[in-house]
Amino acid sequence: MCFQTKPSETIDSIVVALEVGYRHIDSAKYYGNKRDSVEGILKLLEKPGQTVKREETFHTTKVWNDDQGNEKGLDVTLDKLSE
């Protein structure tokens, strides 16, 4: 849905998707949408009157081929969370 879109479009698309019932948001380093996907989820969760709960949403991401492997993949993922 949000592959190669502008950050503002990605954020707004995630909000709308969650509002209409989607609960699984997928992102990837290659797509360049990890941060914007999370911002969209947070934007919806902070919206007054919304009824979606955080525990009802699922955000998945994929690591780049060079970052594959249990320890390396975990390290890269945790590093990206702190950005």
Side-chain angles (χ1 to χ4, degrees):
M1 172 174 73
C2 298
F3 178 65
Q4 298 183 338
T5 60
K6 295 181 223 169
S8 62
E9 291 175 353
T10 299
I11 293 167
D12 292 343
S13 295
I14 297 299
V15 170
V16 170
L18 291 168
E19 286 177 333
V20 300
Y22 285 86
R23 294 297 180 262
H24 179 204
I25 306 300
D26 183 44
S27 65
K29 179 177 180 177
Y30 179 76
Y31 302 162
N33 67 352
K34 290 199 296 187
R35 176 178 298 281
D36 301 329
S37 296
V38 171
E39 285 187 33
I41 293 168
L42 293 174
K43 183 176 179 179
L44 177 82
L45 294 176
E46 294 168 355
K47 191 174 181 179
Q50 67 80 24
T51 58
V52 177
K53 296 181 177 134
R54 171 61 188 102
E55 58 268 18
E56 296 173 346
T57 64
F58 301 90
H59 179 249
T60 58
T61 190
K62 293 167 283 306
V63 296
W64 192 245
N65 292 335
D66 295 341
D67 299 326
Q68 298 276 338
N70 291 339
E71 292 300 318
K72 190 173 183 182
L74 179 60
D75 290 344
V76 168
T77 301
L78 293 176
D79 286 345
K80 293 296 178 189
L81 288 174
S82 64
E83 290 181 352

